[in-house]
Amino acid sequence: MSNQTREEAGDHLSSQIYEEEDLFVDDLSSLDEESAALAHEAVAQHLMEQTSSNQDDNDETKATTLHNRLAGASAHKAGLDSVDKDKVNRIIYETSKGSAFFENERKRDESLTKRLDEMLHQYSVIKDLDLSLEKQVVDHKIQELEAGRDLTQCICHVDMDAFYASVEELDNPALKEIPMAVGGLQMLCTSNYLARQSGVRSGMPGYIAKKLCPELTMIPLHFPKYRAASAKVRAVLAKYDPEFLPMSLDEAYLNLTNYLQTTDQTPEQVVEQIRAEIFKETQLTASAGIAANRMLAKICSDFNKPNGQYMLPMDRDTIMAFTKTLSLRKVSGVGRVTERILQALDVQTCGDIFERRAVLYRLLSPISFQFMLKCYLGLGTTHFNLDSDRKSISVERTFAALSEPDELYRKVDELAALLAKDLQQHRIRGGKTVGIKLKETSFEVRVRSKTFPTYISKKEDIARIAKSLVEKELPISLRLMGIRLASLPPKVDDDHGVKKYFRKRKNSESNAESSDAPRKVAVIEDKDGQVQPQISQKEGKDELDELDELDTAAADTENMDEHDTRDSASEAPYDALASIVTVTCPICNRSLELDNIQFNQHVDECLTKVEVKAILLREQQHASSSSPRSSPSSSTHTTPTQQQQQQQERSLLDYYRAPKSP
């Protein structure tokens, strides 16, 4: 095989296979040399000691873990507590056996089991060690986390009950009396509570749901109806918190702190009122949780489903008592894999985390361990601004099996257009890293990505790069494809950077200008009175010279929302007037009418001229020292006050003018 062929083959096989298990557990390679050596030795010894006498037990254990894995991520949803889980898991196992999904889940379960064995034998190495130092370190981390606890906010999580199914029941009330699910034979999106009594739930293939509940009625998806109902719900939520955070069509977070200051109602009364208004407007029921942060509020919203609410008082002792007995699986972010890992370490509840803190500190990654500590302490965020934390933006779709290159490329074009539209709606400039996610018909997931020195935003550019990544995976048969943009521009605070100088001038300053009438400019102001000009931004060429110069300008009409106050004169994308504003240069203190590019150039020139100023001053001092002094009678006398006033009125540009002739 030639070197070129080897490189092509290596490039073709260089995509990463995504495994859910990789997101939580550390590799042994992350340990120090001594611990890693001991762990590998323990694993090797364990493998050598395995005999045929315990093979039956191992097979039984493998079957049990695979049964639980096949049950899916939504096995703990509301309405499933009374279901015979063993019976449901057995039916799912038998129905899935022999399918590509079954084989993929079996491989992943075996991979996870192997890694768990390694971790357990690593634990057998450290369990007899003195871990007092680790406990001290963890206790110090707990103190640091406690110092940041915020009990001043009242956060509410509103979750609509079986939303898609409930909307369908409004159009056909007869569906309320029979087991019903929304979706198709390939996948269900949700089910009503009658169907959940048989174990039918979201994320389950329809053909398996039919085995669990033969009388199940499946209704196809009707997203326009769901969006219309969601809009009515959001209109109610906006009355209580205009800055509420929607997480999907059927759930959202509200911060009721400010609203509670305007009423004598208790938090429970306010939330009851919200749920009543939602039902009045939509005839749909909602459940809610009230707590000090988003994590706890989401947990609480699941306690009294459907059509109920639960409040966790905002004091530390009550929160700690609540989390002590709370099952870890109830915490958002703890799934099947994490649950199995923690169960292997005898951690069942959030309270168990503290008892096993030293062991978990040694075995888990720093990020995972800190997440565990926050679960134990009941700590979560109260911030609603997701854009500041956004690291990537993506879109993906599931479809019937596709394998022809032309069909796959058309799917890329479709996803690229959707992603470009999302960029405009979220006002994101673009991303430097373009990635693809491919799920094969065998359910194996592959990911590829490519990073560029410039921001990518146009659908044509996203599609061209994504196609080149897909091409490296051909031939392939897919059932899901996704495109992702990462390395997004950092969000800059308005009080930092150039934007802070874009302020609307006061009327008095405008009247103090010269007699020449100032040019009218279109200015867009946000609620804080800060000018937000619409600026066309150009990007350079990428490292392979395969992209054109990128214009990341987005149409304003796509970005307008219900709070937008722009008039028709400013709706044209990046109007020439809208990009020109009156600004004051922070260097020379002069009022200027410039667009963003001109303003940046002006500031650069001013900063450069600071050096020129220093040179001119040195030359002037040198010339003064070499020339004869002027007589007192020939000079104009100025008082110290006048000198100070003259100095204040001068700008840096006055130093750049050519000296007058003597």
Side-chain angles (χ1 to χ4, degrees):
M1 181 181 294
S2 65
N3 292 335
Q4 183 178 0
T5 306
R6 288 193 181 96
E7 290 174 359
E8 291 175 353
D11 188 41
H12 178 75
L13 298 174
S14 63
S15 61
Q16 299 176 357
I17 298 177
Y18 174 86
E19 290 290 349
E20 179 187 5
E21 294 81 9
D22 294 336
L23 301 181
F24 192 82
V25 190
D26 270 352
D27 284 325
L28 294 178
S29 58
S30 64
L31 303 173
D32 57 80
E33 293 183 2
E34 182 179 358
S35 298
L38 290 172
H40 281 297
E41 182 181 350
V43 172
Q45 182 179 358
H46 167 71
L47 294 175
M48 291 178 63
E49 291 176 352
Q50 284 184 330
T51 61
S52 58
S53 60
N54 59 11
Q55 188 63 42
D56 293 339
D57 293 337
N58 289 340
D59 291 342
E60 182 179 353
T61 302
K62 289 179 180 179
T64 301
T65 59
L66 183 55
H67 281 190
N68 294 333
R69 185 181 186 90
L70 290 170
S74 58
H76 293 261
K77 289 184 71 70
L80 297 170
D81 293 337
S82 60
V83 174
D84 185 348
K85 291 183 172 57
D86 291 336
K87 177 182 177 181
V88 170
N89 291 350
R90 186 169 59 254
I91 294 175
I92 294 174
Y93 180 91
E94 295 298 332
T95 306
S96 304
K97 186 181 293 185
S99 66
F101 171 76
F102 181 92
E103 289 302 315
N104 182 68
E105 291 299 296
R106 182 184 60 79
K107 291 177 182 178
R108 296 177 68 180
D109 187 68
E110 290 178 354
S111 175
L112 176 59
T113 299
K114 181 179 179 181
R115 300 191 67 180
L116 277 175
D117 287 342
E118 293 178 351
M119 187 174 66
L120 288 175
H121 289 283
Q122 181 188 349
Y123 165 64
S124 68
V125 173
I126 67 172
K127 67 178 182 180
D128 295 327
L129 300 178
D130 182 8
L131 300 180
S132 57
L133 178 60
E134 282 78 359
K135 288 185 179 180
Q136 293 178 17
V137 172
V138 175
D139 291 342
H140 179 70
K141 288 181 177 291
I142 291 176
Q143 292 178 2
E144 290 180 344
L145 292 173
E146 276 287 1
R149 186 188 291 273
D150 185 2
L151 298 174
T152 64
Q153 306 298 302
C154 180
I155 308 299
C156 174
H157 179 253
V158 177
D159 192 6
M160 303 301 294
D161 299 321
F163 182 59
Y164 294 176
S166 298
V167 172
E168 296 293 345
E169 290 173 351
L170 289 179
D171 290 346
N172 185 1
L175 295 175
K176 295 181 179 180
E177 309 300 326
I178 60 175
M180 182 267 289
V182 178
L185 290 176
Q186 289 188 338
M187 194 63 64
L188 300 180
C189 289
T190 190
S191 62
N192 64 8
Y193 285 89
L194 282 176
R196 295 186 189 188
Q197 293 176 5
S198 301
V200 178
R201 51 184 176 268
S202 61
M204 173 180 287
Y207 69 90
I208 292 180
K210 276 287 192 179
K211 289 286 186 179
L212 293 171
C213 183
E215 65 273 20
L216 180 70
T217 298
M218 289 188 289
I219 306 296
L221 288 161
H222 300 102
F223 275 105
K225 291 196 297 187
Y226 311 146
R227 293 192 184 98
S230 178
K232 294 180 181 180
V233 173
R234 293 181 180 186
V236 174
L237 302 182
K239 297 178 183 179
Y240 297 87
D241 179 12
E243 305 297 328
F244 76 94
L245 177 64
M247 302 304 293
S248 62
L249 291 178
D250 63 340
E251 67 172 316
Y253 290 98
L254 295 84
N255 190 330
L256 300 177
T257 308
N258 292 335
Y259 182 85
L260 289 170
Q261 295 176 356
T262 67
T263 180
D264 294 331
Q265 293 177 299
T266 64
E268 296 99 318
Q269 292 171 336
V270 171
V271 174
E272 286 178 357
Q273 181 174 307
I274 292 173
R275 293 173 47 241
E277 286 190 33
I278 290 175
F279 184 79
K280 179 180 178 181
E281 294 295 327
T282 65
Q283 298 301 303
L284 301 172
T285 62
S287 299
I290 315 162
N293 57 60
R294 282 167 48 184
M295 182 191 81
L296 294 175
K298 184 172 179 63
I299 295 171
C300 292
S301 67
D302 202 47
F303 269 40
N304 289 324
K305 266 185 168 292
N307 196 24
Q309 65 184 56
Y310 181 87
M311 177 174 175
L312 180 64
M314 288 75 164
D315 68 85
R316 182 187 179 280
D317 292 341
T318 305
I319 292 173
M320 294 301 296
F322 176 81
T323 59
K324 184 176 182 180
T325 58
L326 179 69
S327 171
L328 269 165
R329 189 63 190 270
K330 294 289 185 181
V331 179
S332 179
V334 177
R336 296 168 294 171
V337 175
T338 303
E339 180 185 37
R340 185 178 167 193
I341 292 170
L342 295 175
Q343 286 178 347
L345 297 172
D346 296 328
V347 177
Q348 307 283 344
T349 66
C350 294
D352 294 335
I353 294 172
F354 182 77
E355 300 299 327
R356 310 284 291 172
R357 62 190 185 281
V359 171
L360 294 175
Y361 177 72
R362 288 292 298 266
L363 296 178
L364 302 182
S365 67
I367 293 177
S368 299
F369 180 70
Q370 178 149 317
F371 174 74
M372 289 293 104
L373 286 184
K374 288 184 176 181
C375 292
Y376 160 67
L377 295 170
L379 297 177
T381 182
T382 59
H383 300 296
F384 283 13
N385 186 5
L386 289 184
D387 288 338
S388 61
D389 300 326
R390 183 186 288 273
K391 303 299 181 183
S392 65
I393 183 170
S394 62
V395 61
E396 65 179 41
R397 291 291 183 272
T398 303
F399 40 80
L402 297 178
S403 58
E404 291 297 325
D406 290 343
E407 295 177 334
L408 296 175
Y409 292 151
R410 281 196 293 270
K411 186 62 65 174
V412 170
D413 289 332
E414 174 188 331
L415 296 177
L418 292 172
L419 185 55
K421 184 177 180 180
D422 287 346
L423 287 174
Q424 294 179 1
Q425 291 177 343
H426 293 281
R427 301 176 185 268
I428 298 175
R429 182 179 169 192
K432 292 186 177 182
T433 300
V434 180
I436 60 170
K437 173 184 175 183
L438 307 175
K439 180 179 285 188
E440 301 182 51
T441 50
S442 63
F443 288 86
E444 185 178 88
V445 178
R446 293 185 175 273
V447 293
R448 274 185 180 271
S449 63
K450 191 173 187 178
T451 300
F452 297 85
T454 56
Y455 290 109
I456 313 297
S457 64
K458 294 177 67 174
K459 63 180 181 181
E460 295 84 1
D461 300 324
I462 297 173
R464 181 159 56 248
I465 298 168
K467 287 177 182 177
S468 69
L469 297 175
V470 171
E471 183 180 7
K472 295 177 181 179
E473 296 293 340
L474 297 177
I476 193 170
S477 180
L478 300 180
R479 67 183 308 272
L480 177 145
M481 181 187 294
I483 303 179
R484 174 175 176 263
L485 275 179
S487 302
L488 306 183
K491 186 177 178 64
V492 180
D493 194 331
D494 291 349
D495 292 331
H496 300 82
V498 172
K499 186 177 177 181
K500 67 180 179 180
Y501 298 112
F502 285 76
R503 298 285 192 269
K504 187 177 180 182
R505 299 178 60 198
K506 296 180 180 179
N507 293 333
S508 60
E509 294 177 352
S510 300
N511 296 334
E513 292 286 333
S514 61
S515 59
D516 295 334
R519 191 158 46 118
K520 292 183 179 181
V521 296
V523 177
I524 303 169
E525 294 184 19
D526 63 15
K527 62 184 180 181
D528 296 324
Q530 295 187 357
V531 177
Q532 295 186 346
Q534 301 303 298
I535 299 164
S536 177
Q537 299 169 340
K538 291 285 186 177
E539 304 293 347
K541 294 185 178 180
D542 63 60
E543 56 194 354
L544 300 179
D545 291 329
E546 65 183 16
L547 298 181
D548 298 328
E549 198 170 33
L550 300 177
D551 182 1
T552 60
D556 287 347
T557 52
E558 291 292 329
N559 292 336
M560 292 182 65
D561 57 26
E562 60 183 351
H563 304 296
D564 207 332
T565 58
R566 286 177 282 181
D567 55 24
S568 58
S570 64
E571 288 181 359
Y574 298 103
D575 190 288
L577 292 178
S579 63
I580 299 176
V581 294
T582 303
V583 295
T584 300
C585 176
I587 309 299
C588 67
N589 295 323
R590 292 185 174 233
S591 296
L592 307 166
E593 289 185 352
L594 303 172
D595 62 17
N596 186 52
I597 296 176
Q598 294 169 338
F599 177 73
N600 287 335
Q601 292 174 346
H602 175 84
V603 172
D604 289 341
E605 291 173 1
C606 284
L607 291 172
T608 302
K609 289 175 181 178
V610 171
E611 296 297 328
V612 178
K613 167 196 168 183
I615 295 173
L616 292 177
L617 286 177
R618 286 197 296 269
E619 291 181 351
Q620 186 178 14
Q621 292 172 357
H622 178 72
S624 299
S625 62
S626 61
S627 61
R629 294 180 179 272
S630 301
S631 62
S633 59
S634 64
S635 63
T636 303
H637 177 71
T638 57
T639 64
T641 303
Q642 291 173 330
Q643 292 177 350
Q644 183 178 5
Q645 183 178 0
Q646 291 175 359
Q647 182 66 25
Q648 290 176 347
E649 292 175 351
R650 300 175 71 189
S651 73
L652 293 181
L653 289 181
D654 293 320
Y655 292 107
Y656 312 145
R657 295 168 182 162
K660 295 180 180 180
S661 302

